[in-house]
Amino acid sequence: MNANRHLDWEGCFNARDLGGLRTADGRQTRWAAVVRSDSLDGLTAAGWAAVQESGVQTVVDLRSPEERQPSSAERPAGLTTAPVPLEDHTTDPDFWARWRDSGLWATPLYFGAFLDRFPERVAAAVAAVANAGPGGVVVHCGLGRDRTQLVTLVLLALAGVTADGITDDHELSTERLPPLFASMGRPDEAPRIRRLLAQRNTTAREVIHATVASFDAEAYLRSAGLAEADLAAVRARLLAPAG
């Protein structure tokens, strides 16, 4: 995993380029095409300048409206924001109660269940990437770990990135998040997540790998209503030319 994928955006803690990842057929994901990140609300003026220097022109915001806060510094003119709330806790309250009551929400164990239950929401986020204008796209939620990981998993699987590559990418969030939790006055959540997974005789790596290995992104997105043109657009954005 190339450490240079990490992006130094002042005010963000978990931003990284999805370029440089190998696919099963030997290709590589394109640099400066899609970035994953935590919330952009805390970006400083220097942070926003770095976003522009990274080539980002479109922001896909996966958060619910009530989560969004005014930016600490003025957003640059010309950026397009596509709000695509991934979660709606008023929809299927039994689903959310089950995962929250078990304490397993915000662990990778809920990814497969979410993909099964809300394909249209996942497809809407992928469509936002497919339909973005020229330039890079940043996809983010609050921490850049859960909702962003779900969408990133689908995007990279559609591009043909290996299960190992997607799993390696997920693990980078665990490394990057402790300073973000410290800035919020909260304890790092990684130890709690590891304990919950250990109680079920698994690890985050094993769960992510198994989820990807059993997931057919193309069939999933087609059944959720995405057109062939959308699938082709995502691949064209993410994949560097062969050879």
Side-chain angles (χ1 to χ4, degrees):
M1 186 65 63
N2 190 334
N4 290 332
R5 294 199 301 112
H6 291 307
L7 296 170
D8 186 15
W9 292 354
E10 189 174 78
C12 274
F13 296 81
N14 193 23
R16 60 184 175 274
D17 197 316
L18 291 178
L21 299 175
R22 292 288 179 182
T23 63
D25 62 1
R27 297 177 70 179
Q28 193 174 75
T29 51
R30 191 190 301 270
W31 291 93
V34 180
V35 172
R36 59 176 295 170
S37 180
D38 51 318
S39 169
L40 307 185
D41 293 346
L43 282 171
T44 63
W48 280 116
V51 170
Q52 288 190 297
E53 289 168 8
S54 299
V56 167
Q57 293 294 319
T58 302
V59 176
V60 177
D61 188 343
L62 303 177
R63 299 174 300 169
S64 303
E66 60 271 16
E67 295 179 78
R68 299 173 197 146
Q69 301 294 325
S71 296
S72 298
E74 185 176 356
R75 290 192 176 211
L79 277 181
T80 299
T81 299
V84 188
L86 197 65
E87 295 178 351
D88 176 2
H89 293 183
T90 64
T91 302
D92 198 346
D94 289 342
F95 174 91
W96 294 111
R98 181 167 66 254
W99 284 95
R100 286 188 178 278
D101 291 349
S102 68
L104 296 175
W105 181 73
T107 77
L109 285 170
Y110 108 112
F111 288 174
F114 188 96
L115 289 168
D116 289 342
R117 179 62 187 85
F118 301 108
E120 294 82 6
R121 289 183 173 271
V122 176
V126 173
V129 175
N131 296 323
V137 179
V138 57
V139 179
H140 79 90
C141 55
L143 300 176
R145 183 194 63 195
D146 302 315
R147 288 167 288 184
T148 299
Q149 177 60 44
L150 270 166
V151 174
T152 297
L153 184 156
V154 177
L155 290 170
L156 294 180
L158 182 62
V161 175
T162 64
D164 280 337
I166 295 172
T167 304
D168 289 345
D169 174 69
H170 171 74
E171 290 184 333
L172 293 176
S173 288
T174 301
E175 300 174 14
R176 299 280 285 185
L177 284 175
L180 175 54
F181 285 119
S183 75
M184 301 165 68
R186 291 168 48 186
D188 182 17
E189 293 181 359
R192 178 185 65 84
I193 291 171
R194 282 194 293 268
R195 285 195 302 272
L196 286 167
L197 295 173
Q199 289 168 8
R200 287 152 182 85
N201 298 312
T202 191
T203 65
R205 183 171 189 86
E206 290 171 347
V207 174
I208 294 288
H209 198 284
T211 301
V212 176
S214 63
F215 182 65
D216 184 334
E218 183 172 332
Y220 175 86
L221 292 168
R222 276 206 193 104
S223 67
L226 256 64
E228 291 297 328
D230 293 324
L231 302 178
V234 170
R235 289 193 177 105
R237 183 179 293 275
L238 272 169
L239 284 172

